[in-house]
Amino acid sequence: MLKNGLKALIIIGAALLLHKTAFAAELVELPVEELAKESVLPIFDKSVSVKNRRVVTAGRVDANLFYGMALTEPIYDVSKFGASAYYNWNEDNAIGLLFAKNSSGLSTYSNQLHKEYGLDYNRAPKPEMTIMADYNVKVFYGKMSLTKSMVINTMLFGSGALGMVKFENKSYAALALGIGQKFYFSPQWALRFDLRLYMNQAPIPFKKNSMNDGSTGNTSNPIPAKDSFEERLTYTTNLDVGLSYLF
């Protein structure tokens, strides 16, 4: 009993002491003349290297090879390969051409439909290639260091492209809007990423009583003409990853 009472007194005494200390901290006041009244900028030993651009693009051409993947394509092969070239008329703007060739196969989902239900989407017209004029506006140039021994320059840009998408039977006008990022690991070489939303007319591959080839035991449908498929406005999200060289 006495031991517990002694513990209680110690706890109460410690609480009062902490309360007094905390109350005293709230009363600390500094003289007005010692308070900071202005801010200062950091001083760099080599200020010129801080201001200079390591990657200069104005008046230069950059060429790119890339692999593209359609993120929202349900029927056709999602892969494409391409090349592009841009002229940078200043540090903020560039104009160029891009060309991409689609793979000729079908998606994994389409192959599964053929295996289970005999639906052959090779009967529908497939996309073959894309060619577009592409404008880039560079909105942010920066630097970052992951290991503190190597600096990677970055460039964020928006893109707007106008051109055409060619299918097996017909070509369609297309518009693409996107955003991209470059990571320069040398003054000439960079990894380039482009995320674009394509908008164009395209044939609808789901034609009733036309796609079954009879491979699963059902009645085979006559092979439809490529031009007999209906068309509609189609949106496709595409991600390109490539290597860029600045000449």
Side-chain angles (χ1 to χ4, degrees):
M1 187 69 175
L2 181 60
K3 190 176 180 179
N4 292 336
L6 182 59
K7 286 183 178 179
L9 289 175
I10 293 173
I11 293 172
I12 294 173
L16 291 174
L17 180 61
L18 291 174
H19 171 74
K20 184 177 181 180
T21 303
F23 182 76
E26 293 176 356
L27 297 178
V28 172
E29 294 183 358
L30 294 175
V32 177
E33 59 272 16
E34 294 186 11
L35 298 176
K37 297 180 179 178
E38 60 183 11
S39 61
V40 295
L41 296 175
I43 300 175
F44 296 95
D45 295 335
K46 298 179 180 179
S47 58
V48 175
S49 63
V50 174
K51 292 186 293 184
N52 284 350
R53 291 176 65 110
R54 182 167 177 254
V55 179
V56 178
T57 61
R60 304 175 71 181
V61 174
D62 64 279
N64 314 275
L65 295 175
F66 63 86
Y67 165 78
M69 181 173 61
L71 302 178
T72 55
E73 173 55 58
I75 298 301
Y76 309 113
D77 193 313
V78 299
S79 299
K80 63 175 70 173
F81 298 90
S84 61
Y86 294 84
Y87 174 69
N88 302 271
W89 74 79
N90 57 35
E91 294 295 353
D92 299 322
N93 302 278
I95 187 75
L97 289 174
L98 70 87
F99 171 80
K101 180 74 174 67
N102 293 71
S103 297
S104 58
L106 299 175
S107 67
T108 303
Y109 178 63
S110 290
N111 290 327
Q112 183 180 354
L113 291 176
H114 180 250
K115 184 178 180 181
E116 295 184 5
Y117 305 106
L119 301 176
D120 183 9
Y121 285 98
N122 283 308
R123 298 180 171 202
K126 295 191 288 291
E128 290 187 330
M129 64 181 70
T130 302
I131 183 168
M132 307 192 84
D134 189 21
Y135 166 70
N136 292 170
V137 55
K138 293 169 273 189
V139 296
F140 181 76
Y141 172 83
K143 303 175 183 178
M144 69 178 187
S145 177
L146 300 178
T147 63
K148 296 184 179 179
S149 60
M150 178 180 178
V151 174
I152 297 176
N153 293 86
T154 63
M155 189 176 294
L156 178 68
F157 56 91
S159 65
L162 187 63
M164 71 172 191
V165 176
K166 183 181 182 306
F167 281 68
E168 290 175 324
N169 61 321
K170 189 176 179 181
S171 297
Y172 300 90
L175 172 68
L177 300 175
I179 187 171
Q181 177 77 60
K182 281 184 177 180
F183 296 95
Y184 283 93
F185 49 87
S186 82
Q188 289 81 33
W189 291 98
L191 287 174
R192 173 172 177 141
F193 298 84
D194 281 277
L195 181 65
R196 292 190 179 91
L197 174 65
Y198 286 83
M199 295 161 279
N200 58 273
Q201 286 287 113
I204 305 172
F206 308 104
K207 186 177 176 63
K208 188 176 181 181
N209 299 326
S210 298
M211 310 310 291
N212 202 308
D213 64 356
S215 59
T216 56
N218 296 325
T219 303
S220 176
N221 299 134
I223 298 177
K226 300 289 186 183
D227 292 329
S228 65
F229 288 80
E230 295 183 3
E231 301 174 358
R232 70 181 176 192
L233 183 61
T234 303
Y235 301 91
T236 307
T237 304
N238 202 94
L239 175 64
D240 297 338
V241 181
L243 195 60
S244 176
Y245 184 81
L246 189 61
F247 291 91

